[in-house]
């Protein structure tokens, strides 16, 4: 061994280890996104989103109806829980309708489309008959059922247009007729315009806007070409412009967009005090039941402007929670419409999603001062049984469609109630020892006959 220049023996160096790839650092955001995608791709995600979000919106709406309507009821010399009890009764009936819609097969929904449409048209015609129809807040769109109970047939017209339009387009798609624009428009657009005419006879332009949105949603899902879609939209905008221009009341509502002062003759009183309610709520609100604006300052606090009272009492956190629930409901409805292969399910799910989403946007936009006050309630949230019943039935439709997906059906079939397993275990321990032993003996005999020892 040769020495170094210093006379010392050379230092023995350890052999170098091969360079190994360093483990990549975990990205928490990436992991969260991956988990969210996996959760979203599960078969029952849309089912749970629709069911959970709709029930939470309804329950929170009952709480806010009770809080927002108490002062109004006392001012009318009624019990403080008067409006809450009526809304709770409507929600109970709506829950039954939701369960029925969940369990009814798709074929029966299609069979009910024409009777619901005929019944809605008949009731909307009765509204215009003197002595039967009644006027509320200047709109002739109500029928009295006796006592304090009333019904607004135009709300059921939304459900009728969704079911009938979906069945019509599905049958035409099965016959390959939607490639021609005549078959796409007729008779869908004329029937929709007939419903719009009956609604506008009573002066309810807000409901007419929702019905128009449903019509456009159905045409878009049917694959209407851009020129055809633009033509129908141009006709609707022209009619809407004429109706707004010829009505001083609608023009004053249009002028109140973004208003910060009540204006002359307090024309923008409702819009401004809705903004006051939201502004005074802060981050977490003044507390449930502690609203100031509901003490006679804000008109329609428990109906059209219940979102403003929610912002005042529950703050920004409460309003964002409501928005998140509606976003989840709308997104799940889009998923159901996009993943199905049944044309009727696609059109019906898309129509219901368009209906609920458009109505929520119009109501919340009016409360925020971004849109004119259209007089439409917040779906599943505002006071009003006529609006709640068909909406809950429509949500039941979405749940039924979400359950009807092949992967969702398989996932639900694999699940067995716990009490069923417990009862089976009890039976097995008590009186099923004989069958179990007999099954074991049969398996052994089969194994021996096959040559196994």
């Amino acid at each position: 061994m040769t020495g170094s220049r210093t006379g010392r023996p050379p230092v023995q160096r350890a052999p170098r280890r091969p360079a190994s790839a360093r483990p990549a650092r975990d990205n928490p955001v990436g992991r969260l996104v991956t988990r969210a995608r996996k959760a979203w791709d599960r078969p029952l995600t849309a089912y749970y989103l629709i069911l959970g979000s709709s029930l939470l919106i309804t329950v929170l709406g009952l709480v806010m109806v009770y809080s927002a309507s108490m002062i109004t009821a006392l001012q009318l010399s009624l019990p403080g829980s008067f409006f809450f009890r009526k809304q709770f009764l409507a929600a109970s009936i709506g829950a039954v309708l939701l369960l029925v819609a969940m369990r009814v097969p798709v074929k029966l929904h299609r069979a009910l489309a024409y009777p619901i449409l005929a019944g809605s048209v008949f009731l909307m015609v009765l509204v215009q008959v003197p002595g039967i129809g009644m006027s509320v807040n200047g709109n002739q769109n109500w029928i009295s059922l006796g006592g304090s109970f009333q019904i607004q047939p135009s709300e059921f017209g939304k459900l009728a247009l969704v079911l009938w339009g979906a069945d019509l387009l599905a049958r035409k798609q099965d016959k390959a007729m939607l490639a021609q624009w005549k078959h796409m428009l007729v008779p869908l657009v004329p029937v929709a315009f007939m419903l719009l005419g009956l609604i506008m006879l009573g002066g309810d332009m807000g409901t007419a806007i929702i019905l128009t949105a449903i019509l456009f949603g159905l045409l878009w899902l049917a694959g209407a070409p851009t020129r055809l879609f633009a033509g129908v939209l141009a006709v609707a905008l022209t009619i809407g412009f004429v109706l707004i221009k010829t009505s001083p009341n609608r023009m004053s509502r249009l002028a109140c967009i973004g208003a910060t002062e009540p204006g002359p003759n307090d024309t923008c009183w409702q819009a401004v005090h809705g903004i006051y309610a939201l502004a005074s709520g802060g981050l977490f609100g003044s507390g449930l039941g502690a609203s100031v604006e509901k003490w006679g300052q804000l008109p329609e606090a428990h109906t059209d402007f219940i979102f403003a009272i929610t912002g005042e009492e529950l703050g920004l956190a409460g309003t964002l929670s409501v928005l998140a629930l509606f976003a989840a409901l709308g997104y799940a409805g889009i998923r159901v419409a996009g993943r199905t292969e049944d044309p009727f399910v696609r059109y019906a799910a898309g129509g219901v999603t368009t209906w609920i989403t458009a109505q929520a946007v119009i109501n919340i936009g009016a409360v925020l001062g971004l849109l004119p006050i259209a007089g439409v309630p917040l779906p599943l949230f505002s006071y009003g049984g006529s609006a709640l019943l068909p909406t809950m039935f429509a949500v039941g439709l979405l749940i039924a469609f979400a359950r009807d997906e092949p992967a969702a059906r398989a996932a639900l079939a694999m699940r067995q109630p716990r009490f069923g397993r417990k009862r089976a275990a009890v039976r097995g321990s008590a009186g099923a020892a004989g069958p179990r032993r007999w099954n074991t003996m049969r398996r052994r005999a089969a194994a021996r006959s096959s040559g196994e020892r």
Side-chain angles (χ1 to χ4, degrees), residues 148-164:
S148 61
F149 292 95
Q150 304 160 357
I151 187 174
Q152 188 176 2
S154 57
E155 293 291 340
F156 295 89
K158 303 172 187 176
L159 178 63
L161 181 61
V162 168
L163 287 177
W164 177 79

Side-chain angles (χ1 to χ4, degrees), residues 293-352:
E293 290 293 333
K294 67 183 180 183
W295 288 76
Q297 299 296 324
L298 180 61
E300 307 297 335
H302 59 296
T303 54
D304 301 344
F305 272 70
I306 194 171
F307 188 76
I309 302 299
T310 304
E312 185 180 5
E313 295 188 348
L314 302 183
L316 181 64
T319 54
L320 290 181
S321 300
V322 175
L323 291 176
L325 291 174
F326 276 109
L329 180 59
Y331 198 43
I334 293 174
R335 167 177 163 150
V336 172
R339 293 197 174 189
T340 183
E341 296 181 357
D342 189 340
F344 172 78
V345 172
R346 180 170 65 254
Y347 295 134
V352 171

Side-chain angles (χ1 to χ4, degrees), residues 387-398:
L388 185 62
L389 294 180
T391 307
M392 294 192 73
F393 186 88
V395 171
L397 284 176
L398 286 180

Side-chain angles (χ1 to χ4, degrees), residues 77-325:
S77 301
L78 297 171
S81 61
F82 175 78
F83 294 104
F84 168 76
R85 286 182 292 176
K86 290 183 63 177
Q87 186 73 356
F88 183 79
L89 176 61
S92 302
I93 300 174
V96 175
L97 294 177
L98 186 146
L99 293 175
V100 170
M102 281 177 54
R103 298 297 179 179
V104 168
V106 175
K107 292 183 179 180
L108 186 54
H109 283 304
R110 299 186 68 169
L112 290 175
Y114 284 87
I116 292 178
L117 176 65
S120 300
V121 172
F122 176 72
L123 291 177
M124 281 193 275
V125 171
L126 284 182
V127 167
Q128 306 304 324
V129 176
I132 298 179
M134 59 181 301
S135 177
V136 177
N137 295 330
N139 293 335
Q140 184 83 11
N141 284 310
W142 298 83
I143 295 177
S144 177
L145 300 179
S148 61
F149 292 95
Q150 304 160 357
I151 187 174
Q152 188 176 2
S154 57
E155 293 291 340
F156 295 89
K158 303 172 187 176
L159 178 63
L161 181 61
V162 168
L163 287 177
W164 177 79
D167 178 68
L168 175 69
L169 293 175
R171 286 189 289 107
K172 290 195 172 187
Q173 181 174 334
D174 293 338
K175 298 178 181 179
M177 300 171 63
L178 292 181
Q180 303 178 14
W181 66 270
K182 294 181 180 180
H183 291 288
M184 186 176 294
L185 293 181
V186 180
L188 177 62
V189 175
V191 171
F193 276 29
M194 177 190 67
L195 295 175
L196 290 172
L198 292 174
I199 293 173
M200 288 308 301
L201 283 177
D204 188 3
M205 191 168 185
T207 304
I209 294 174
I210 306 300
L211 216 67
T212 306
I214 295 174
L215 173 62
F216 287 153
L218 291 174
L219 290 176
W220 183 77
L221 290 169
T226 305
R227 287 181 294 179
L228 180 62
F229 198 87
V232 177
L233 181 61
V235 172
L237 290 177
T238 302
I239 296 175
F241 176 78
V242 172
L243 292 174
I244 293 175
K245 196 69 176 178
T246 55
S247 174
N249 183 28
R250 299 188 185 113
M251 286 296 297
S252 63
R253 292 187 179 187
L254 193 64
C256 292
I257 297 178
T260 56
E261 297 292 336
N265 299 323
D266 293 333
T267 54
C268 298
W269 180 273
Q270 187 178 24
V272 171
H273 278 271
I275 298 296
Y276 289 168
L278 291 172
S280 59
L283 188 59
F284 297 105
S286 58
L288 191 62
S291 170
V292 175
E293 290 293 333
K294 67 183 180 183
W295 288 76
Q297 299 296 324
L298 180 61
E300 307 297 335
H302 59 296
T303 54
D304 301 344
F305 272 70
I306 194 171
F307 188 76
I309 302 299
T310 304
E312 185 180 5
E313 295 188 348
L314 302 183
L316 181 64
T319 54
L320 290 181
S321 300
V322 175
L323 291 176
L325 291 174

